[in-house]
């Protein structure tokens, strides 16, 4: 009988081999006269694209090596190029297949056409990389709240989400995020998960700038799914040292004048595989004996919005979706999530979904800029 970890490997290998086979097929469409060259080229391309991921997981001591940094950046850019090309190609190939069922002969896109698509994908990837280099932009959002206590009027909340500190997002980028966040003069900072994307030891110095985040009431943090993939047990103590308020199915009540603001957080659902303590528990996170005037929920994924409204939360901050991160993936994200970007209203609950302050995988944000959100409460 196979163990759980072995069962997880089989679907991963199936998906990986399927993507490899489809990429070989695309290579043959571009250069049908050179099948062996295209197979060899595809193999090298795939190796460069994914090898750094396996190395960073199994050899964390290689993290600071120059060769590893070069390999990681090459892999990240190749992945963005490949992902853009594949996502544009799939619908074209589907149309091609359907067309060929009803009419004999070649489809209107031949080797030259696919070469042009490959070149356009490279241009889109380059522009997406330029957007990454610009860093996150600050997006200001005014939120009108009925019957808002006067003491909470103009309260400013800065949100950071999906920063993914790791092989390509390091101190330079993190310093830029901290500087821009501090410039908002927020009353509190919330971080809604996927903060780290590597083992804790190699990224300690890249986490350190986050300790410089400044706000009136502090920095509040909830876990995302990626923290559990890399060892949350070593990450959380480091975040405590930086002064973060860790909200693992818990809350803090802030006294602002005579008003009481509740800030609660739930762990990501992946946490249930880590420990029972990290199984998301909205009831426990909401639990308090005090009467509060305004209730905020931090949840990495937008999904808890239904129960968040039910348990009396007024505002939820989430991330996770990246809003698709780049075109054309951004066209598919509405299929997976009802609320996937920006400010949304669900019944009495306001939900803000940050599209990501960093990026995951490809250094590519064409059409979907990275963001630091500054949300200000105002009275209707």
């Amino acid at each position: 009988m196979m163990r759980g970890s072995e069962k997880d490997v089989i679907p991963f290998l199936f998906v990986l081999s399927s993507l490899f086979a489809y990429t070989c097929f695309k290579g043959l469409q571009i250069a049908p006269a050179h099948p062996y060259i295209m197979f060899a080229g595809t193999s090298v391309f795939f190796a460069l694209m994914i090898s750094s991921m396996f190395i960073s997981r199994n050899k964390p001591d290689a993290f600071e090596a120059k060769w590893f940094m070069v390999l990681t950046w090459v892999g990240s850019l190749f992945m963005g190029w490949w992902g853009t090309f594949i996502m544009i190609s799939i619908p074209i190939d589907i149309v091609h297949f359907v067309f060929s069922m009803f009419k004999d002969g070649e489809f209107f896109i031949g080797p030259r056409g696919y070469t042009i698509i490959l070149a356009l994908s490279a241009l889109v990837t380059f522009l997406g990389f330029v957007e990454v280099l610009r860093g996150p932009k600050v997006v200001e959002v005014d939120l009108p709240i009925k019957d808002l206590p006067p003491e909470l009027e103009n309260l400013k909340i800065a949100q950071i989400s999906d920063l993914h500190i790791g092989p390509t997002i390091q101190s330079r980028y993190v310093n830029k995020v901290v500087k821009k966040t501090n410039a908002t003069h927020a009353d509190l900072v919330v971080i809604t998960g996927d903060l780290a994307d590597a083992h804790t030891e190699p990224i300690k110095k890249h986490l350190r700038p986050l300790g410089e985040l400044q706000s009136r009431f502090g920095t509040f943090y909830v876990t995302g799914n990626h923290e559990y993939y890399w060892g949350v047990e070593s990450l959380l103590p480091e975040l405590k040292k930086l002064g973060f308020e860790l909200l693992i199915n818990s809350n803090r009540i802030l006294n602002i004048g005579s008003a009481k603001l509740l800030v609660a957080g739930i762990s990501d659902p992946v946490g249930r595989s880590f420990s029972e303590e990290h199984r998301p528990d909205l009831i426990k996170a909401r639990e308090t004996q005090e009467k509060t005037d305004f209730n905020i929920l931090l949840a990495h994924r937008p999904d808890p919005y239904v129960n968040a409204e039910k348990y009396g939360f007024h505002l939820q901050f989430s991330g996770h979706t990246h809003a698709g991160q780049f075109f054309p993936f951004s066209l598919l994200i509405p299929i997976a999530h009802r609320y996937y970007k920006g400010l949304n209203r669900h019944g009495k609950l306001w939900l803000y979904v940050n599209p990501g302050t960093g990026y995951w995988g490809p250094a590519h944000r064409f059409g979907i800029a990275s963001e630091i959100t500054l949300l200000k409460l105002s009275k209707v």
Side-chain angles (χ1 to χ4, degrees):
M1 182 178 292
M2 289 185 296
R3 292 171 295 183
S5 58
E6 293 173 334
K7 290 180 180 179
D8 292 338
V9 169
I10 292 175
F12 170 75
L13 292 177
F14 174 77
V15 170
L16 189 64
S17 59
S18 298
L19 291 172
F20 176 77
Y22 183 67
T23 307
C24 288
F25 168 67
K26 298 308 297 179
L28 290 174
Q29 285 182 317
I30 293 171
H34 305 284
Y36 296 110
I37 293 175
M38 295 313 296
F39 177 79
T42 300
S43 300
V44 173
F45 184 88
F46 246 71
L48 289 172
M49 189 168 63
I50 66 174
S51 58
S52 64
M53 296 183 181
F54 292 97
I55 293 170
S56 63
R57 180 162 293 280
N58 297 300
K59 299 286 185 181
D61 54 330
F63 198 87
E64 296 294 333
K66 295 292 184 183
W67 64 264
F68 176 72
M69 292 301 297
V70 172
L71 181 63
T72 299
W73 276 109
V74 168
S76 177
L77 293 171
F78 276 10
M79 185 180 292
W81 184 21
W82 171 82
T84 303
F85 176 66
I86 293 299
M87 288 304 299
I88 294 174
S89 297
I90 287 174
I92 293 174
D93 284 337
I94 291 173
V95 172
H96 191 165
F97 175 75
V98 173
F99 185 84
S100 67
M101 293 176 65
F102 295 98
K103 189 173 181 178
D104 295 332
E106 290 296 320
F107 191 44
F108 63 89
I109 292 185
R112 181 177 296 179
Y114 282 110
T115 302
I116 292 172
I117 293 172
L118 187 66
L120 288 174
S121 299
L123 176 60
V124 168
T125 304
F126 172 74
L127 294 175
F129 178 61
V130 170
E131 188 62 46
V132 163
L133 294 179
R134 288 175 179 164
K137 62 180 182 179
V138 176
V139 175
E140 298 185 15
V141 180
D142 286 322
L143 183 58
I145 302 293
K146 186 179 180 181
D147 300 324
L148 183 72
E151 293 90 344
L152 299 182
E153 193 167 2
N154 297 320
L155 185 81
K156 294 191 294 184
I157 306 165
Q159 182 192 13
I160 296 169
S161 191
D162 300 87
L163 188 51
H164 291 281
I165 297 171
T168 61
I169 294 182
Q170 299 189 347
S171 299
R172 185 174 181 179
Y173 193 96
V174 178
N175 275 312
K176 188 180 293 187
V177 170
V178 170
K179 184 177 179 180
K180 290 187 175 185
T181 304
N182 287 345
T184 67
H185 303 290
D187 294 296
L188 63 152
V189 176
V190 298
I191 300 178
T192 48
D194 280 7
L195 181 64
D197 220 337
H199 294 293
T200 303
E201 190 61 34
I203 62 169
K204 278 183 180 180
K205 70 177 184 181
H206 306 301
L207 291 167
R208 205 167 295 140
L210 294 170
E212 302 300 318
L213 285 168
Q214 299 170 4
S215 63
R216 185 179 167 194
F217 297 108
T219 300
F220 299 83
Y221 164 83
V222 293
T223 55
N225 51 309
H226 279 249
E227 284 89 338
Y228 294 103
Y229 302 152
W230 293 96
V232 74
E233 69 280 0
S234 58
L235 176 66
L236 295 184
E238 290 301 317
L239 299 184
K240 279 187 177 180
K241 291 178 185 177
L242 296 175
F244 285 22
E245 286 276 3
L246 310 183
L247 298 178
I248 308 297
N249 301 320
S250 59
N251 64 65
R252 301 289 184 273
I253 295 177
L254 305 178
N255 295 300
I256 305 176
S258 61
K260 291 185 181 295
L261 175 71
L262 180 138
V263 183
I266 57 172
S267 48
D268 187 82
V270 174
R272 66 168 61 96
S273 64
F274 173 70
S275 74
E276 195 62 30
E277 180 187 352
H278 283 254
R279 180 185 294 272
D281 189 336
L282 193 56
I283 296 175
K284 185 179 178 182
R286 177 68 178 86
E287 192 174 47
T288 180
Q289 299 299 316
E290 299 188 52
K291 184 180 183 301
T292 53
D293 298 288
F294 195 80
N295 305 317
I296 296 174
L297 173 66
L298 311 183
H300 177 60
R301 304 179 194 231
D303 306 344
Y305 62 84
V306 174
N307 288 324
E309 182 198 20
K310 175 182 174 182
Y311 290 117
F313 286 98
H314 302 96
L315 173 62
Q316 177 181 328
F317 286 99
S318 294
H320 183 65
T321 69
H322 292 221
Q325 188 163 307
F326 61 90
F327 175 87
F329 279 98
S330 54
L331 302 179
L332 300 179
I333 200 68
I335 299 173
H337 297 276
R338 180 177 179 182
Y339 304 120
Y340 61 92
K341 181 184 178 183
L343 187 63
N344 305 271
R345 187 73 185 265
H346 182 81
K348 297 179 180 179
L349 176 76
W350 287 102
L351 166 63
Y352 195 89
V353 184
N354 181 299
T357 308
Y359 56 87
W360 178 81
H364 185 0
R365 297 224 61 146
F366 181 79
I368 306 291
S370 54
E371 176 182 315
I372 298 165
T373 310
L374 181 66
L375 189 145
K376 183 172 72 173
L377 302 182
S378 59
K379 194 170 183 178
V380 176

